[in-house]
DNA sequence: GGTAGACCTGGACGC
DNA sequence: GCGTCCAGGTCTACC
């Protein structure tokens, strides 16, 4: 990016915010168009702005040694005033900078295990649409396939930034794309028609049956109504609906999958059928109420970090591709499990 | 309400 | 290099 006449911004963050901890807190930081560079602790993302795509490099001075240090954002081209506002809004959403420190403190009061490390924030995508499609690409596949699908979606359909990177494709772009094109160029398999239909719903006004992003993102909309509406969408089942809910900042439901079963068996020591284990998992995390997902997720995330080191040291093409339930099961078996790491 | 099978891709494995 | 098997969540048909 050196030598380009780009725009530089400073973005204030909550007093507890540590970028390398709070950004590298959910797998989407490893998915295109995101790129995390462990050596320099630089987070690069290609944003789709009003005037086209722009690559932004985001850094936090002092590299996590002091919480609350503002972020420096460098774009690879000059941004208009409108685009600066759009970039700020998308970065704020992606890093959840609008979640007040008091909310994180409340989580720590409910589940004190994470107070010392300060964990509490989870990253997500810059838009609700991207979160929904990323969730669909994570269903019924192993993680390396999810990584590939997102990379190919961006390369095939995403707007190109001056630096050569591609943004995540817009809903309008995917809605105009043939399902067979998605399948052949992006390897999304049978999800092709579902992704196109989802994109079409995002482009339609709510009055014509389209998705109202404002309604989904309105804190006043009841959880149950959101959950019900998500289950109506193509390609969205119980797991995906619960996952999208946490991406919307609603943490009371658990997106349980095969990885959760592994966690229930090997870490929490549950036995029995998968169905029984899932029931026990829901009961286990119910006491955390509106923070249940955070408690569940950080248990899982810490398990990964015990295996692979701190998430901020992971690289997409190596560590980032090594997560599969089967692989982790093998490693746990090799370790002898022994119930180590049981935390409650 | 519960269950079985199809849907695809890509990695692992055996030959 | 090729064929086979398997993992993964959603959807549909059926009981």
């Amino acid at each position: 990016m050196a030598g380009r006449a780009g725009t530089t911004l400073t973005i204030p963050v909550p007093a507890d915010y540590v970028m390398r901890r709070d950004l590298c807190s959910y797998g989407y930081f490893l998915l295109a168009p995101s790129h995390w560079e462990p050596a320099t602790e630089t987070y690069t993302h290609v944003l789709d702005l009003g005037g086209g795509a722009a690559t932004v490099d985001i850094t936090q001075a002092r590299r996590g040694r002091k919480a609350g240090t503002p972020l420096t954002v460098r774009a690879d081209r000059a941004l208009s005033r409108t685009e600066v506002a759009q970039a700020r809004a998308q970065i704020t959403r992606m890093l959840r900078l609008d979640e007040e420190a008091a909310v994180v403190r409340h989580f720590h009061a409910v589940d004190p295990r994470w107070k010392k490390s300060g964990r509490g924030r989870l990253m997500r995508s810059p838009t609700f649409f991207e979160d929904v499609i990323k969730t669909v690409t994570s269903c019924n596949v192993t993680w390396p396939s999810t990584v590939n699908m997102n990379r190919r979606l961006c390369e095939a359909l995403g707007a190109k930034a001056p630096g050569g990177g591609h943004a995540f494709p817009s809903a309008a772009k995917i809605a105009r794309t043939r399902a067979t094109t998605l399948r052949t160029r992006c390897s999304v398999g049978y999800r092709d028609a579902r992704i196109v239909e989802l994109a079409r719903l995002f482009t339609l006004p709510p009055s014509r049956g389209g998705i109202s992003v404002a309604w989904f993102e309105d804190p006043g909309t009841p959880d149950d109504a959101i959950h019900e509406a998500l289950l109506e969408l193509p390609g969205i089942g119980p797991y995906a609906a619960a996952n999208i809910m946490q991406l919307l900042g609603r943490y009371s439901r658990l997106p349980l999958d095969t990885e959760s079963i592994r966690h229930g068996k090997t870490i929490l020591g549950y036995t029995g059928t998968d169905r029984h284990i899932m029931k026990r998992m829901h009961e286990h995390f119910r006491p955390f109420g509106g923070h249940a997902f955070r408690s569940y997720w950080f248990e899982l995330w810490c398990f990964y970090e015990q295996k692979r080191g701190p998430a901020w040291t992971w690289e997409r093409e190596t560590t980032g591709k090594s997560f599969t339930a089967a692989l982790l099961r093998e490693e746990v078996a090799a370790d002898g499990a022994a119930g180590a790491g049981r935390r409650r």
Side-chain angles (χ1 to χ4, degrees), chain A residues 241-256:
Chain A
N243 194 57
I244 293 168
M245 293 207 54
Q246 69 85 5
L247 291 164
L248 284 167
R250 297 165 183 268
Y251 299 111
S252 61
R253 285 178 168 77
L254 300 182
L256 297 185

Side-chain angles (χ1 to χ4, degrees), chain A residues 20-208:
Chain A
R20 71 181 186 188
R21 176 195 67 202
D22 297 331
L23 168 74
C24 305
S25 59
Y26 192 67
Y28 289 5
F29 88 95
L30 295 163
L31 297 180
S34 288
H35 178 78
W36 170 253
E37 187 55 52
T40 57
E41 293 185 23
T42 302
Y43 180 55
T44 302
H45 198 96
V46 186
L47 299 175
D48 194 0
L49 304 172
T55 302
V56 293
D57 285 348
I58 307 174
T59 53
Q60 184 178 37
R62 304 196 216 184
R63 294 195 180 191
R65 282 190 290 276
K66 179 162 173 44
T69 306
L71 305 178
T72 301
V73 179
R74 294 184 179 84
D76 66 346
R77 65 174 174 82
L79 305 182
S80 69
R81 186 180 293 185
T82 303
E83 288 181 318
V84 166
Q86 290 172 340
R88 284 185 187 278
Q90 291 190 27
I91 291 168
T92 296
R93 186 187 194 280
M94 187 160 50
L95 307 184
R96 300 211 204 217
L97 302 178
D98 51 353
E99 187 170 62
E100 293 174 12
V103 175
V104 178
R105 283 200 299 275
H106 185 253
F107 166 55
H108 292 157
V110 172
D111 189 348
R113 293 177 297 170
W114 315 108
K115 187 173 180 179
K116 187 179 176 189
S117 65
R119 288 184 182 282
R121 295 175 189 277
L122 289 147
M123 70 86 64
R124 57 180 171 177
S125 303
T127 67
F128 177 48
F129 173 68
E130 189 174 330
D131 272 339
V132 170
I133 301 301
K134 277 188 157 59
T135 298
V136 171
T137 65
S138 73
C139 289
N140 200 30
V141 283
T142 52
W143 180 250
S145 293
T146 302
V147 173
N148 286 336
M149 277 187 233
N150 279 276
R151 180 175 52 79
R152 288 172 185 168
L153 277 169
C154 293
E155 288 173 0
L157 303 172
K160 193 173 181 180
H166 295 260
F168 194 82
S170 65
K173 177 69 178 180
I174 295 181
R176 289 195 303 269
T177 305
R178 281 200 295 268
T180 50
T181 304
L182 269 190
R183 182 178 294 221
T184 54
R185 295 184 65 191
C186 308
S187 304
V188 298
Y190 65 88
R191 299 164 197 78
D192 56 356
R194 296 173 191 175
I195 290 173
V196 172
E197 176 60 11
L198 277 169
R200 195 184 68 83
L201 290 172
F202 269 88
T203 61
L204 285 178
S207 59
R208 289 176 53 203

Side-chain angles (χ1 to χ4, degrees), chain A residues 221-233:
Chain A
T221 308
D223 274 14
D224 288 347
I226 299 256
H227 190 242
E228 202 175 312
L230 288 170
L231 288 172
E232 292 289 313
L233 300 176

